[in-house]
Amino acid sequence: MSSSWDVIVDALPVLAQGSVVTLKITVISLFFALLIGLLFGLMSTSRSKVLRGIATAYVDFLRGTPLLVQIFFIYFGLPPVLDIKIPETTAGILALSLNAGAYLAEIFRGGILSIDKGQMEAARSLGLTHGKAMRLVILPQAVRRMIPAFVNQFIVTLKDTSLLTVIGIRELMNSGEIIISGNFRSFEIWAVVAVFYFLMIYILSLLSRSLERRFAK
Amino acid sequence: MKKLMFAVVSSLLALTVSACGSGTDQASTTSGQSGAKKYVIGTDATYPPFEFEKDGKYVGIDIDLINAIAKEEGFEVEIKPMDFKGIIPAVQAKQLDGAIAGISITDKRKEILDFSEPYYQAGLSLVVREDNTTINGEADLAGKTIAIKKGTTGATFADELGKKYGATVKYFDDSPSMFQEVQNGNADVTIEDYPVISYKITVDPASKLKIVGDRLNGDHYGIAVLKGNKELQDKLNSGLKKLKENGKYDEIINTYLSTKK
């Protein structure tokens, strides 16, 4: 049997490749999730009952089912019924975006509601439309308060990408599993996989902390 | 950076080792009532006809075999279902005393596990969608996508084919996922043990799958045991021998497969 160090060195390039895929999927998913979250967050704080109803239904449904079920449903369940082909990366990004979007919608809603009512009233009395008041007055203040919650969701989503191993996406988790199924060295490989996830999230946290310092004032 | 990595990895390792020090050997336990030795046996419950769930109970060739052996040899069995790729690591980690899951005996696996005598000859087959006419053998795999289950001999084989013919290999956790992948058209072909795929096609015609070409090799299944567990290995071998002699072995095989071997 080869030494632990050799096993780790052999695995590094494959695991690094997996990490790149993990990061890519995380970033793209979070981009869409932010758009979804903003849209449904605004809808859930709007005065229209219909829009609020749609937003609540979306959040309740996506938050009320496990991400793993959503991944399987989108990738294995939908294609035969709709008679379409969904590539695994598209399906993975779709599932993660929809899921994280629901959580982000709640973060947006909470942030928006945390801003004093008087702000909106003052902006409206200055002659701003509801949309303009939201964009220029409410959201800039709300987003500042939301940063810690955002960062939390980013970290969760990065870790959630590991579930995509079930649909064959070669991200970090899948790469680790493939290596172990070939060399049976669970101990070394899982240790390195853990370190890789940790490093990615640690760097992300550092970035977000400096971001927070810049915006929090 | 390299130094930092090494420091982090090695401290992680040290921590885990010290944490696990007391936890070895928890797999084998003796049951209080009968006094019979109880073994924890891992399996992959998504692998008909060898092991699957029916009416809330685990059934299949492997399950019936291990139960029959236990009866012959007077020990108890606790069946633990898990992902196939996790089974061999779990035996290594002493979470399991052994495993029966259509595990092909290979030299690589023999380095880390002991096996019973072979109990079944399987062999790999190429599987495509019914409407696929372009793949008729391994030579047609250039540029195609192969769906495969992690940790199987089929996966090792697919890796080699992938390199040889320039095919892409996609890894899944269980057989149903890789079959669905081919049914949905996201992969062109999968590689599965012959009895498993022929059973699947027989009981599930809606799967729209077919076998192409000849069997690719002649793997033998064995029951895996923790390296050095001579006691269990001997019981398994002696049990298997008795079942073959008294006809019970053939009976079990014929219950699930119409054609023997």
Side-chain angles (χ1 to χ4, degrees), chain A residues 147-196:
Chain A
I147 288 177
F150 278 157
V151 174
N152 210 26
Q153 184 58 44
F154 292 172
I155 290 172
V156 169
T157 300
L158 192 145
K159 287 195 271 197
D160 279 349
T161 58
S162 60
L163 292 175
L164 300 179
T165 180
V166 297
I167 56 172
I169 296 181
R170 233 185 256 211
E171 36 66 69
L172 181 50
M173 183 78 187
N174 195 297
S175 311
E177 287 179 349
I178 293 169
I179 297 173
I180 292 167
S181 66
N183 68 8
F184 308 109
R185 303 293 287 255
S186 316
F187 186 64
E188 292 88 344
I189 303 301
W190 287 132
V192 180
V193 167
V195 169
F196 272 38

Side-chain angles (χ1 to χ4, degrees), chain B residues 137-202:
Chain B
E138 58 172 272
D140 300 325
L141 290 176
K144 305 289 190 215
T145 303
I146 311 172
I148 205 73
K149 182 160 73 162
K150 282 169 207 158
T152 59
T153 45
T156 317
F157 205 84
D159 262 344
E160 285 162 17
L161 290 179
K163 280 186 199 122
K164 196 162 151 197
Y165 298 105
T168 313
V169 185
K170 269 167 88 177
Y171 296 85
F172 292 88
D173 290 343
D174 51 31
S175 301
S177 292
M178 71 185 204
F179 289 142
Q180 189 70 49
E181 182 76 359
V182 176
Q183 283 168 244
N184 287 4
N186 286 322
D188 302 294
V189 60
T190 182
I191 298 173
E192 179 58 285
D193 289 350
Y194 179 80
V196 174
I197 186 59
S198 74
Y199 181 84
K200 160 101 182 156
I201 290 172
T202 315

Side-chain angles (χ1 to χ4, degrees), chain B residues 82-102:
Chain B
M82 53 175 76
D83 270 354
F84 186 78
K85 64 167 195 290
I87 289 177
I88 292 173
V91 178
Q92 269 183 296
K94 301 187 181 171
Q95 305 284 356
L96 301 170
D97 295 302
I100 184 162

